[in-house]
Amino acid sequence: IVSDRSPAQYRMSALVFGTLMCCGAWLIFAGIHDQQMQSASAEVPAHFLRDMREILCSRSFRKVSIIYLCGPTAVMLLQSNLVLLCKYVVRIPELIQTVVPLVSITAICFVPFWMVACHRTSKRTVYFCAGAIIGASFMGITFIESKEGVLGLSCSIGSCLTVVYMVPLAMLPDVVEEDVRRTGRRREGMFTSLFAISQKLSSTVALTVSNMLLKEAGYVAPVSTCGGRMANMDLDSDADMAQQPQAVLTRVRLLCGVIPASLMLIAMAMAFLSQGRPQTVRNDARIPTSSPKAASDTKTFPEVIVYI
């Protein structure tokens, strides 16, 4: 569709693939059949605001949320500025076509290793090991200038990438179970909904900080090629690589190196603090069940040792 890279063919590509994506979404929604719910289930919980306040005041939940905020934000900062790093710092724009598949393939290959490591040790230990590796790799990006160095650090980051996302998600059920044993109420939906805000904030913070720092440094945006200026694209690209001020190059290194490494350090600190010492929770409340018979058979948990 974009064999000659003309603006008209790019527009045609957007029309074709955009239509296919919309059709797929509409097919999914068309296959959903709503079920009639009883009127009693539509009642709003009486203690919704109180439950929200209790969840947000939970120290364990706050620490895990900070871990899930800082880790993906560090990755998103590198991801959103990786093209600028290859183009302006390393000065090999086509390197991005090798780095992205390399990171993805490495991340997939290391998934079984980290799963085994979690079973053999603990989620906290795995996060410390992977966080140290990926944090050191972020710091290495600050000083890298060669193609070989970028490829090596890409493999290092890719090997630990899944830990940044998966381990905090695996920690959330521990927090939920601790809350169930402490309060006797099941609030998984509220925990998950509030926890998902961390990932949304990571994307927003990363893109906002990147745009603000680059704009303040005097970043010169490249000339758009959608208006038909394709004949001198190579010349414009060379001129664009030469006209970026030194402050922009410094900010790109910070956004890809020092700042993500600092965020990973904060996430590792929260993981360390979340362990703490064993906490004994007194709880004589019964966990609510759906049937009276099951409620009569429900066991109490008078004393629970919690490791978060």
Side-chain angles (χ1 to χ4, degrees):
I1 298 178
V2 291
S3 56
D4 60 355
R5 296 185 178 182
S6 64
Q9 288 192 340
Y10 276 110
R11 298 188 187 98
M12 180 60 66
S13 173
L15 177 62
V16 172
F17 290 105
T19 303
L20 292 176
M21 293 170 63
C22 292
C23 290
W26 279 111
L27 286 175
I28 293 174
F29 284 109
I32 298 177
H33 301 284
D34 294 333
Q35 298 180 353
Q36 296 294 332
M37 305 297 293
Q38 298 179 358
S39 58
S41 62
E43 296 179 358
V44 179
H47 304 291
F48 175 77
L49 295 179
R50 188 191 66 183
D51 290 344
M52 290 282 291
R53 183 172 62 252
E54 290 180 358
I55 292 174
L56 293 175
C57 292
S58 172
R59 291 181 298 175
S60 301
F61 179 74
R62 289 203 303 264
K63 291 171 184 176
V64 174
S65 298
I66 293 175
I67 294 173
Y68 198 49
L69 173 63
C70 293
T73 301
V75 176
M76 186 62 65
L77 281 172
L78 176 61
Q79 178 181 341
S80 59
N81 295 280
L82 187 58
V83 175
L84 303 181
L85 179 72
C86 296
K87 183 176 182 180
Y88 299 124
V89 178
V90 187
R91 293 187 173 274
I92 307 178
E94 60 274 11
L95 185 60
I96 188 67
Q97 301 176 6
T98 305
V99 170
V100 173
L102 182 61
V103 172
S104 302
I105 294 173
T106 307
I108 294 174
C109 292
F110 271 81
V111 169
F113 170 78
W114 291 119
M115 290 181 62
V116 173
C118 284
H119 286 289
R120 293 290 182 86
T121 58
S122 66
K123 289 170 281 190
R124 177 172 175 263
T125 302
V126 167
Y127 198 88
F128 276 150
C129 296
I133 295 173
I134 199 171
S137 302
F138 285 146
M139 287 299 299
I141 293 177
T142 308
F143 311 100
I144 205 67
E145 292 182 355
S146 63
K147 175 181 178 180
E148 293 76 12
V150 173
L151 295 178
L153 292 178
S154 299
C155 292
S156 178
I157 293 173
S159 64
C160 306
L161 190 60
T162 54
V163 176
V164 176
Y165 289 92
M166 294 296 103
V167 170
L169 287 174
M171 290 179 176
L172 182 60
D174 298 336
V175 178
V176 174
E177 288 301 320
E178 184 268 341
D179 179 74
V180 171
R181 297 179 184 275
R182 182 173 54 86
T183 64
R185 299 194 300 274
R186 304 206 63 93
R187 302 183 286 193
E188 295 94 334
M190 300 181 69
F191 273 101
T192 306
S193 301
L194 294 174
F195 191 71
I197 298 176
S198 301
Q199 187 176 14
K200 304 300 181 183
L201 285 177
S202 66
S203 303
T204 304
V205 171
L207 296 176
T208 302
V209 171
S210 298
N211 292 335
M212 290 179 58
L213 291 179
L214 292 176
K215 181 179 180 180
E216 183 182 355
Y219 173 73
V220 180
V223 179
S224 175
T225 58
C226 295
R229 292 189 54 190
M230 300 298 297
N232 299 324
M233 186 179 64
D234 295 336
L235 296 177
D236 292 341
S237 179
D238 294 338
D240 177 52
M241 291 176 62
Q243 68 182 353
Q244 296 296 340
Q246 184 62 35
V248 171
L249 304 182
T250 303
R251 297 293 174 86
V252 170
R253 289 182 180 273
L254 292 176
L255 290 170
C256 294
V258 176
I259 298 178
S262 302
L263 291 173
M264 285 304 306
L265 186 62
I266 295 175
M268 293 173 63
M270 289 295 104
F272 176 78
L273 294 176
S274 64
Q275 174 69 13
R277 58 182 181 180
Q279 179 182 1
T280 302
V281 180
R282 298 294 304 179
N283 181 21
D284 296 327
R286 296 177 180 267
I287 299 177
T289 56
S290 56
S291 64
K293 182 178 183 302
S296 62
D297 297 335
T298 302
K299 297 181 179 180
T300 59
F301 298 89
E303 188 174 277
V304 180
I305 305 298
V306 179
Y307 295 91
I308 302 298

